[in-house]
Amino acid sequence: MKIIDLLNKNTLSLSFEVFPPKTEMGFESVRTATEEIAKLRPAFMSVTYGAGGGTSKYTLDIAKNIKELYGVPTLAHLTCVSSTKETVRNMISSIKAAGIKNVMALRGDIPESLESADRSRWDYTHAIDLIRELREADEDFCIAGACYPEIHPESENQKEDITHLKEKVDAGCDFLTTQMFFDNNLLYNFLYKIREAGITVPIVPGIMPITNANQVERAIKLSGSFMPQRFKSLVDKFGSDPAAMKQAGIAYATDQIIDLYANGITNVHVYSMNKPDVAEKIQSNLSDILGK
Ligand code: FAD
């Protein structure tokens, strides 16, 4: 099932993100967690990919397992930075052999050790190179890309970021998923600007439920996201009480999703991070809206 065919329905649907284990030892617990999430019957599940290929094998194993056991469409992430053409082509062949139709094409983060490397010698410099490769490998792939409502940290300004985003979409992206954000107004503003720039593909906003105070710093470092005062107050108040922080973080994410739906957005991606209890709670908070 191609994910693009599931988007743009009139009612709210949720998708969940999981990540593969780093080692074989962690495989069973990740598989159990991802299966618990699959039982919630989300619209689709995405499985991240370790840039540099460290967990690449497990991305496909987890994605295939969810698809085959639970019939939930899966989106396998794939990165290209610092990879050779041979590695990427082998991965694309494995994706096809696993019967996976949906691929999130990413550049990946440049490892610190390669920051000053001569990029002109790399086989891939940007996600667009991977998108072209995937399109060439299979016209029928449903290809997703990443986008950044608060601009990508490496971009000089939003105009430049959106220009590259448009090139990426024109190269063959069927839809885009956003980086996490904690203020929906940033998303609405971004949507206005990209539509004005002629980007018409569906945008799936990514919502990260922050369920413990330690996650906050990591999330900001990773995404550069703006923390609204309302969110900061919540962390100040509940940060030292794990159970209360979890409840408040889930409530905040739920509230963001309700506001998105009230403003016409029907597909929301939840960065559920291998936490079935968090995915379940968000879904049950929205049960009447989702009709589940
Ligand atoms: P690009 O689209 O290549 O953009 C990166 C930067 O280069 C931007 O500043 C852009 O404006 C600029 N740019 C793009 N094209 C050009 C061009 N032609 N010329 C000059 N500049 C250009 N990382 C992982 O390792 N594994 C994952 O599974 C993963 N999943 C993710 C899922 C989502 C939804 C998001 C938002 C991010 C994810 N990431 C993942 C992180 C991602 O790899 C990083 O944010 C990375 O820094 C950029 O990846 P990209 O595909 O957006 O890159």
Side-chain angles (χ1 to χ4, degrees):
M1 170 71 79
K2 285 163 75 168
I3 291 169
I4 185 65
D5 296 331
L6 304 169
L7 303 179
N8 280 345
K9 301 259 156 59
N10 288 330
T11 49
L12 178 66
S13 71
L14 299 181
S15 49
F16 294 121
E17 182 153 305
V18 295
F19 58 85
K22 284 204 167 52
T23 61
E24 189 152 3
M25 251 172 52
F27 188 81
E28 278 313 308
S29 68
V30 170
R31 192 174 66 170
T32 308
T34 56
E35 287 186 8
E36 288 305 307
I37 296 177
K39 285 180 195 161
L40 298 170
R41 304 265 165 221
F44 68 91
M45 283 170 70
S46 70
V47 188
T48 65
Y49 186 90
T55 56
S56 55
K57 173 180 162 342
Y58 303 120
T59 296
L60 275 193
D61 291 347
I62 297 285
K64 195 165 177 257
N65 185 55
I66 297 164
K67 181 174 76 70
E68 287 178 357
L69 279 185
Y70 296 93
V72 174
T74 48
L75 175 65
H77 291 204
L78 179 61
T79 65
C80 60
V81 69
S82 73
S83 291
T84 61
K85 275 210 186 282
E86 194 192 355
T87 312
V88 168
R89 284 180 183 164
N90 286 341
M91 266 314 289
I92 295 174
S93 299
S94 304
I95 290 171
K96 282 179 82 167
I100 291 169
K101 285 251 158 268
N102 309 287
V103 185
M104 163 71 76
L106 299 143
R107 185 196 67 179
D109 282 319
I110 297 168
E112 260 175 44
S113 58
L114 292 179
E115 256 166 20
S116 52
D118 176 6
R119 297 181 192 190
S120 64
R121 298 173 62 169
W122 291 0
D123 283 346
Y124 304 89
T125 18
H126 290 290
I128 192 171
D129 306 326
L130 179 58
I131 291 161
R132 291 193 179 119
E133 181 107 29
L134 282 160
R135 256 299 153 253
E136 214 178 289
D138 193 341
E139 261 301 306
D140 203 38
F141 268 140
C142 170
I143 303 175
C147 65
Y148 304 83
E150 295 174 73
I151 86 169
H152 186 275
E154 287 167 35
S155 288
E156 288 283 316
N157 55 57
Q158 194 168 45
K159 195 160 177 249
E160 185 191 288
D161 209 28
I162 291 177
T163 301
H164 293 311
L165 186 62
K166 171 91 168 61
E167 290 163 1
K168 193 154 92 168
V169 170
D170 291 347
C173 261
D174 292 297
F175 71 96
L176 297 166
T177 304
T178 76
Q179 180 60 284
M180 66 182 88
F181 55 88
F182 300 94
D183 178 348
N184 286 2
N185 287 326
L186 293 165
L187 190 270
Y188 302 138
N189 196 273
F190 174 70
L191 284 179
Y192 177 79
K193 287 184 178 157
I194 61 168
R195 297 309 186 209
E196 208 181 23
I199 298 173
T200 56
V201 293
I203 307 295
V204 181
I207 296 296
M208 167 75 95
I210 297 284
T211 53
N212 67 69
N214 300 336
Q215 228 184 322
V216 178
E217 210 174 303
R218 208 175 153 263
I220 299 174
K221 192 164 170 243
L222 205 80
S223 64
S225 302
F226 163 72
M227 287 282 161
Q229 190 52 49
R230 203 176 133 244
F231 189 81
K232 282 190 201 152
S233 308
L234 183 148
V235 179
D236 285 348
K237 178 80 179 165
F238 304 114
S240 56
D241 179 341
M245 183 63 225
K246 188 168 172 181
Q247 193 168 47
I250 289 173
Y252 191 93
T254 305
D255 194 41
Q256 273 192 284
I257 297 171
I258 292 171
D259 181 71
L260 289 169
Y261 186 43
N263 282 283
I265 286 156
T266 50
N267 305 101
V268 179
H269 191 59
V270 179
Y271 291 111
S272 50
M273 314 302 286
N274 299 2
K275 292 180 189 152
D277 55 333
V278 173
E280 194 281 324
K281 191 70 194 153
I282 290 190
Q283 187 157 299
S284 66
N285 282 350
L286 296 164
S287 58
D288 287 338
I289 297 172
L290 288 164
K292 281 192 178 185

